[in-house]
mmCIF file of all heavy atoms in Angstrom:
data_model
loop_
_atom_site.group_PDB
_atom_site.id
_atom_site.type_symbol
_atom_site.label_atom_id
_atom_site.label_comp_id
_atom_site.label_asym_id
_atom_site.label_seq_id
_atom_site.Cartn_x
_atom_site.Cartn_y
_atom_site.Cartn_z
ATOM 1 N N GLY A 130 48.484 -9.556 68.121
ATOM 2 C CA GLY A 130 47.150 -9.732 67.577
ATOM 3 C C GLY A 130 46.661 -11.167 67.732
ATOM 4 O O GLY A 130 45.483 -11.401 68.072
ATOM 5 N N GLU A 131 47.530 -12.121 67.534
ATOM 6 C CA GLU A 131 47.162 -13.529 67.642
ATOM 7 C C GLU A 131 46.930 -13.933 69.096
ATOM 8 O O GLU A 131 46.056 -14.770 69.401
ATOM 9 C CB GLU A 131 48.204 -14.404 66.971
ATOM 10 C CG GLU A 131 48.207 -14.216 65.477
ATOM 11 C CD GLU A 131 49.204 -15.107 64.750
ATOM 12 O OE1 GLU A 131 50.261 -15.413 65.351
ATOM 13 O OE2 GLU A 131 48.943 -15.476 63.612
ATOM 14 N N ILE A 132 47.702 -13.366 70.009
ATOM 15 C CA ILE A 132 47.447 -13.652 71.438
ATOM 16 C C ILE A 132 46.053 -13.189 71.825
ATOM 17 O O ILE A 132 45.298 -13.930 72.482
ATOM 18 C CB ILE A 132 48.516 -12.942 72.323
ATOM 19 C CG1 ILE A 132 49.886 -13.626 72.143
ATOM 20 C CG2 ILE A 132 48.099 -12.974 73.790
ATOM 21 C CD1 ILE A 132 51.023 -12.881 72.796
ATOM 22 N N ILE A 133 45.684 -11.989 71.418
ATOM 23 C CA ILE A 133 44.353 -11.474 71.703
ATOM 24 C C ILE A 133 43.286 -12.323 71.018
ATOM 25 O O ILE A 133 42.262 -12.687 71.604
ATOM 26 C CB ILE A 133 44.226 -10.006 71.289
ATOM 27 C CG1 ILE A 133 45.157 -9.145 72.130
ATOM 28 C CG2 ILE A 133 42.780 -9.516 71.377
ATOM 29 C CD1 ILE A 133 45.274 -7.705 71.644
ATOM 30 N N ALA A 134 43.527 -12.685 69.730
ATOM 31 C CA ALA A 134 42.542 -13.461 68.977
ATOM 32 C C ALA A 134 42.308 -14.821 69.619
ATOM 33 O O ALA A 134 41.180 -15.304 69.711
ATOM 34 C CB ALA A 134 43.008 -13.620 67.532
ATOM 35 N N MET A 135 43.386 -15.463 70.091
ATOM 36 C CA MET A 135 43.225 -16.775 70.729
ATOM 37 C C MET A 135 42.546 -16.664 72.079
ATOM 38 O O MET A 135 41.694 -17.478 72.438
ATOM 39 C CB MET A 135 44.590 -17.467 70.859
ATOM 40 C CG MET A 135 45.175 -17.982 69.577
ATOM 41 S SD MET A 135 46.635 -19.012 69.854
ATOM 42 C CE MET A 135 47.814 -17.804 70.456
ATOM 43 N N ALA A 136 42.928 -15.630 72.871
ATOM 44 C CA ALA A 136 42.310 -15.451 74.166
ATOM 45 C C ALA A 136 40.803 -15.208 74.046
ATOM 46 O O ALA A 136 40.024 -15.603 74.919
ATOM 47 C CB ALA A 136 42.977 -14.300 74.918
ATOM 48 N N ARG A 137 40.395 -14.555 72.962
ATOM 49 C CA ARG A 137 38.987 -14.285 72.726
ATOM 50 C C ARG A 137 38.321 -15.335 71.835
ATOM 51 O O ARG A 137 37.130 -15.245 71.548
ATOM 52 C CB ARG A 137 38.824 -12.894 72.084
ATOM 53 C CG ARG A 137 39.283 -11.742 72.954
ATOM 54 C CD ARG A 137 38.455 -11.563 74.194
ATOM 55 N NE ARG A 137 37.060 -11.196 73.868
ATOM 56 C CZ ARG A 137 36.646 -9.946 73.691
ATOM 57 N NH1 ARG A 137 37.492 -8.945 73.797
ATOM 58 N NH2 ARG A 137 35.374 -9.701 73.420
ATOM 59 N N ARG A 138 39.095 -16.313 71.382
ATOM 60 C CA ARG A 138 38.619 -17.387 70.481
ATOM 61 C C ARG A 138 37.933 -16.783 69.241
ATOM 62 O O ARG A 138 36.851 -17.237 68.823
ATOM 63 C CB ARG A 138 37.674 -18.348 71.229
ATOM 64 C CG ARG A 138 38.314 -19.003 72.441
ATOM 65 C CD ARG A 138 37.480 -20.152 72.969
ATOM 66 N NE ARG A 138 37.492 -21.298 72.054
ATOM 67 C CZ ARG A 138 38.371 -22.285 72.107
ATOM 68 N NH1 ARG A 138 39.351 -22.251 73.003
ATOM 69 N NH2 ARG A 138 38.295 -23.284 71.262
ATOM 70 N N LEU A 139 38.586 -15.811 68.668
ATOM 71 C CA LEU A 139 37.979 -15.124 67.514
ATOM 72 C C LEU A 139 37.906 -15.992 66.271
ATOM 73 O O LEU A 139 36.968 -15.859 65.475
ATOM 74 C CB LEU A 139 38.807 -13.845 67.215
ATOM 75 C CG LEU A 139 38.803 -12.752 68.272
ATOM 76 C CD1 LEU A 139 39.512 -11.503 67.763
ATOM 77 C CD2 LEU A 139 37.377 -12.393 68.664
ATOM 78 N N SER A 140 38.877 -16.919 66.115
ATOM 79 C CA SER A 140 38.809 -17.761 64.919
ATOM 80 C C SER A 140 37.574 -18.651 64.973
ATOM 81 O O SER A 140 36.905 -18.883 63.951
ATOM 82 C CB SER A 140 40.089 -18.632 64.826
ATOM 83 O OG SER A 140 40.249 -19.445 65.966
ATOM 84 N N ASP A 141 37.198 -19.160 66.176
ATOM 85 C CA ASP A 141 36.005 -19.979 66.294
ATOM 86 C C ASP A 141 34.756 -19.147 66.083
ATOM 87 O O ASP A 141 33.812 -19.589 65.404
ATOM 88 C CB ASP A 141 35.957 -20.627 67.692
ATOM 89 C CG ASP A 141 37.076 -21.635 67.893
ATOM 90 O OD1 ASP A 141 37.740 -21.985 66.909
ATOM 91 O OD2 ASP A 141 37.300 -22.022 69.039
ATOM 92 N N ARG A 142 34.716 -17.932 66.671
ATOM 93 C CA ARG A 142 33.533 -17.070 66.488
ATOM 94 C C ARG A 142 33.379 -16.677 65.028
ATOM 95 O O ARG A 142 32.246 -16.610 64.500
ATOM 96 C CB ARG A 142 33.668 -15.816 67.358
ATOM 97 C CG ARG A 142 33.790 -16.031 68.848
ATOM 98 C CD ARG A 142 32.508 -16.573 69.484
ATOM 99 N NE ARG A 142 32.324 -17.997 69.297
ATOM 100 C CZ ARG A 142 32.942 -18.937 70.001
ATOM 101 N NH1 ARG A 142 33.811 -18.589 70.935
ATOM 102 N NH2 ARG A 142 32.695 -20.216 69.778
ATOM 103 N N ASN A 143 34.502 -16.428 64.351
ATOM 104 C CA ASN A 143 34.462 -16.077 62.930
ATOM 105 C C ASN A 143 33.922 -17.214 62.099
ATOM 106 O O ASN A 143 33.068 -17.038 61.212
ATOM 107 C CB ASN A 143 35.870 -15.673 62.479
ATOM 108 C CG ASN A 143 35.921 -15.332 60.993
ATOM 109 O OD1 ASN A 143 35.354 -14.344 60.547
ATOM 110 N ND2 ASN A 143 36.631 -16.151 60.241
ATOM 111 N N ALA A 144 34.417 -18.435 62.388
ATOM 112 C CA ALA A 144 33.937 -19.609 61.624
ATOM 113 C C ALA A 144 32.449 -19.810 61.842
ATOM 114 O O ALA A 144 31.713 -20.148 60.911
ATOM 115 C CB ALA A 144 34.739 -20.844 62.044
ATOM 116 N N ASP A 145 32.001 -19.648 63.088
ATOM 117 C CA ASP A 145 30.563 -19.801 63.375
ATOM 118 C C ASP A 145 29.733 -18.816 62.578
ATOM 119 O O ASP A 145 28.693 -19.173 61.994
ATOM 120 C CB ASP A 145 30.310 -19.601 64.865
ATOM 121 C CG ASP A 145 30.794 -20.761 65.720
ATOM 122 O OD1 ASP A 145 31.082 -21.830 65.146
ATOM 123 O OD2 ASP A 145 30.902 -20.604 66.955
ATOM 124 N N MET A 146 30.145 -17.574 62.572
ATOM 125 C CA MET A 146 29.394 -16.541 61.875
ATOM 126 C C MET A 146 29.312 -16.802 60.376
ATOM 127 O O MET A 146 28.258 -16.630 59.737
ATOM 128 C CB MET A 146 30.003 -15.159 62.134
ATOM 129 C CG MET A 146 29.850 -14.678 63.575
ATOM 130 S SD MET A 146 28.126 -14.309 64.009
ATOM 131 C CE MET A 146 27.897 -12.739 63.156
ATOM 132 N N HIS A 147 30.410 -17.249 59.797
ATOM 133 C CA HIS A 147 30.405 -17.576 58.369
ATOM 134 C C HIS A 147 29.514 -18.773 58.084
ATOM 135 O O HIS A 147 28.988 -18.921 56.970
ATOM 136 C CB HIS A 147 31.839 -17.857 57.878
ATOM 137 C CG HIS A 147 32.616 -16.611 57.582
ATOM 138 N ND1 HIS A 147 32.443 -15.856 56.446
ATOM 139 C CD2 HIS A 147 33.586 -15.969 58.300
ATOM 140 C CE1 HIS A 147 33.254 -14.819 56.464
ATOM 141 N NE2 HIS A 147 33.960 -14.857 57.577
ATOM 142 N N ALA A 148 29.308 -19.624 59.109
ATOM 143 C CA ALA A 148 28.423 -20.785 58.931
ATOM 144 C C ALA A 148 26.980 -20.445 59.315
ATOM 145 O O ALA A 148 26.122 -21.324 59.350
ATOM 146 C CB ALA A 148 28.936 -21.930 59.787
ATOM 147 N N GLY A 149 26.737 -19.170 59.666
ATOM 148 C CA GLY A 149 25.376 -18.756 60.008
ATOM 149 C C GLY A 149 24.990 -19.014 61.453
ATOM 150 O O GLY A 149 23.795 -18.991 61.792
ATOM 151 N N ILE A 150 25.963 -19.220 62.332
ATOM 152 C CA ILE A 150 25.683 -19.523 63.739
ATOM 153 C C ILE A 150 25.960 -18.284 64.572
ATOM 154 O O ILE A 150 27.093 -17.748 64.576
ATOM 155 C CB ILE A 150 26.567 -20.691 64.220
ATOM 156 C CG1 ILE A 150 26.300 -21.938 63.399
ATOM 157 C CG2 ILE A 150 26.339 -20.956 65.716
ATOM 158 C CD1 ILE A 150 27.296 -23.082 63.686
ATOM 159 N N TRP A 151 24.950 -17.817 65.311
ATOM 160 C CA TRP A 151 25.078 -16.681 66.196
ATOM 161 C C TRP A 151 25.240 -17.175 67.626
ATOM 162 O O TRP A 151 24.274 -17.547 68.292
ATOM 163 C CB TRP A 151 23.843 -15.774 66.066
ATOM 164 C CG TRP A 151 23.864 -14.539 66.919
ATOM 165 C CD1 TRP A 151 23.494 -14.429 68.218
ATOM 166 C CD2 TRP A 151 24.277 -13.240 66.493
ATOM 167 N NE1 TRP A 151 23.643 -13.133 68.641
ATOM 168 C CE2 TRP A 151 24.122 -12.371 67.594
ATOM 169 C CE3 TRP A 151 24.727 -12.697 65.273
ATOM 170 C CZ2 TRP A 151 24.426 -11.021 67.534
ATOM 171 C CZ3 TRP A 151 25.028 -11.353 65.219
ATOM 172 C CH2 TRP A 151 24.873 -10.535 66.346
ATOM 173 N N ASP A 152 26.512 -17.206 68.116
ATOM 174 C CA ASP A 152 26.775 -17.735 69.446
ATOM 175 C C ASP A 152 27.374 -16.640 70.295
ATOM 176 O O ASP A 152 28.598 -16.524 70.452
ATOM 177 C CB ASP A 152 27.747 -18.924 69.338
ATOM 178 C CG ASP A 152 28.006 -19.582 70.686
ATOM 179 O OD1 ASP A 152 27.281 -19.257 71.651
ATOM 180 O OD2 ASP A 152 28.926 -20.402 70.762
ATOM 181 N N LYS A 153 26.527 -15.785 70.831
ATOM 182 C CA LYS A 153 26.973 -14.650 71.657
ATOM 183 C C LYS A 153 27.195 -15.127 73.073
ATOM 184 O O LYS A 153 26.307 -15.149 73.894
ATOM 185 C CB LYS A 153 25.927 -13.519 71.606
ATOM 186 C CG LYS A 153 26.369 -12.224 72.282
ATOM 187 C CD LYS A 153 25.303 -11.162 72.115
ATOM 188 C CE LYS A 153 25.752 -9.840 72.702
ATOM 189 N NZ LYS A 153 26.016 -9.901 74.139
ATOM 190 N N SER A 154 28.449 -15.549 73.338
ATOM 191 C CA SER A 154 28.761 -16.128 74.646
ATOM 192 C C SER A 154 30.149 -15.686 75.072
ATOM 193 O O SER A 154 31.046 -15.489 74.256
ATOM 194 C CB SER A 154 28.710 -17.650 74.570
ATOM 195 O OG SER A 154 29.203 -18.241 75.751
ATOM 196 N N ALA A 155 30.342 -15.521 76.365
ATOM 197 C CA ALA A 155 31.646 -15.188 76.926
ATOM 198 C C ALA A 155 32.448 -16.423 77.358
ATOM 199 O O ALA A 155 33.567 -16.287 77.818
ATOM 200 C CB ALA A 155 31.462 -14.265 78.123
ATOM 201 N N VAL A 156 31.865 -17.604 77.153
ATOM 202 C CA VAL A 156 32.532 -18.838 77.593
ATOM 203 C C VAL A 156 33.844 -19.013 76.816
ATOM 204 O O VAL A 156 33.844 -18.986 75.591
ATOM 205 C CB VAL A 156 31.624 -20.056 77.364
ATOM 206 C CG1 VAL A 156 32.394 -21.355 77.711
ATOM 207 C CG2 VAL A 156 30.363 -19.935 78.217
ATOM 208 N N GLY A 157 34.916 -19.175 77.521
ATOM 209 C CA GLY A 157 36.224 -19.406 76.895
ATOM 210 C C GLY A 157 36.920 -18.152 76.412
ATOM 211 O O GLY A 157 38.035 -18.213 75.891
ATOM 212 N N ALA A 158 36.300 -16.970 76.572
ATOM 213 C CA ALA A 158 36.900 -15.707 76.118
ATOM 214 C C ALA A 158 37.497 -14.966 77.305
ATOM 215 O O ALA A 158 36.849 -14.839 78.344
ATOM 216 C CB ALA A 158 35.853 -14.852 75.415
ATOM 217 N N HIS A 159 38.758 -14.499 77.152
ATOM 218 C CA HIS A 159 39.464 -13.875 78.261
ATOM 219 C C HIS A 159 40.168 -12.607 77.781
ATOM 220 O O HIS A 159 40.569 -12.500 76.624
ATOM 221 C CB HIS A 159 40.495 -14.829 78.859
ATOM 222 C CG HIS A 159 39.917 -16.091 79.386
ATOM 223 N ND1 HIS A 159 39.365 -16.205 80.651
ATOM 224 C CD2 HIS A 159 39.775 -17.338 78.810
ATOM 225 C CE1 HIS A 159 38.932 -17.432 80.831
ATOM 226 N NE2 HIS A 159 39.169 -18.126 79.733
ATOM 227 N N GLU A 160 40.384 -11.687 78.708
ATOM 228 C CA GLU A 160 41.270 -10.554 78.452
ATOM 229 C C GLU A 160 42.714 -11.035 78.535
ATOM 230 O O GLU A 160 43.005 -12.002 79.232
ATOM 231 C CB GLU A 160 41.060 -9.452 79.496
ATOM 232 C CG GLU A 160 39.690 -8.765 79.444
ATOM 233 C CD GLU A 160 39.573 -7.665 80.464
ATOM 234 O OE1 GLU A 160 40.476 -7.536 81.324
ATOM 235 O OE2 GLU A 160 38.568 -6.931 80.420
ATOM 236 N N VAL A 161 43.613 -10.311 77.869
ATOM 237 C CA VAL A 161 45.019 -10.649 78.000
ATOM 238 C C VAL A 161 45.636 -9.883 79.184
ATOM 239 O O VAL A 161 46.693 -10.270 79.692
ATOM 240 C CB VAL A 161 45.812 -10.332 76.720
ATOM 241 C CG1 VAL A 161 45.296 -11.186 75.567
ATOM 242 C CG2 VAL A 161 45.796 -8.867 76.355
ATOM 243 N N ARG A 162 45.007 -8.821 79.611
ATOM 244 C CA ARG A 162 45.469 -8.093 80.782
ATOM 245 C C ARG A 162 45.539 -9.011 81.995
ATOM 246 O O ARG A 162 44.595 -9.718 82.316
ATOM 247 C CB ARG A 162 44.543 -6.920 81.063
ATOM 248 C CG ARG A 162 44.965 -6.089 82.287
ATOM 249 C CD ARG A 162 44.003 -4.947 82.534
ATOM 250 N NE ARG A 162 42.632 -5.405 82.690
ATOM 251 C CZ ARG A 162 41.613 -4.591 83.017
ATOM 252 N NH1 ARG A 162 41.841 -3.304 83.196
ATOM 253 N NH2 ARG A 162 40.387 -5.088 83.136
ATOM 254 N N GLY A 163 46.690 -9.043 82.625
ATOM 255 C CA GLY A 163 46.890 -9.877 83.811
ATOM 256 C C GLY A 163 47.410 -11.267 83.490
ATOM 257 O O GLY A 163 47.822 -11.983 84.411
#
């Protein structure tokens, strides 16, 4: 779960959302496949 969360930078997206920031971007987000 943490590998996927880090690859998708979910902790950063979560913090942004709690701060009221809507940053819908694929920058820095990756699949773990491959």
Side-chain angles (χ1 to χ4, degrees):
E131 291 182 329
I132 290 171
I133 294 171
M135 287 190 291
R137 297 294 296 272
R138 300 193 70 90
L139 295 186
S140 60
D141 293 348
R142 300 292 80 78
N143 178 67
D145 287 345
M146 291 292 285
H147 279 283
I150 300 171
W151 181 276
D152 183 11
K153 187 176 183 299
S154 172
V156 175
H159 300 276
E160 294 181 352
V161 299
R162 180 180 56 174

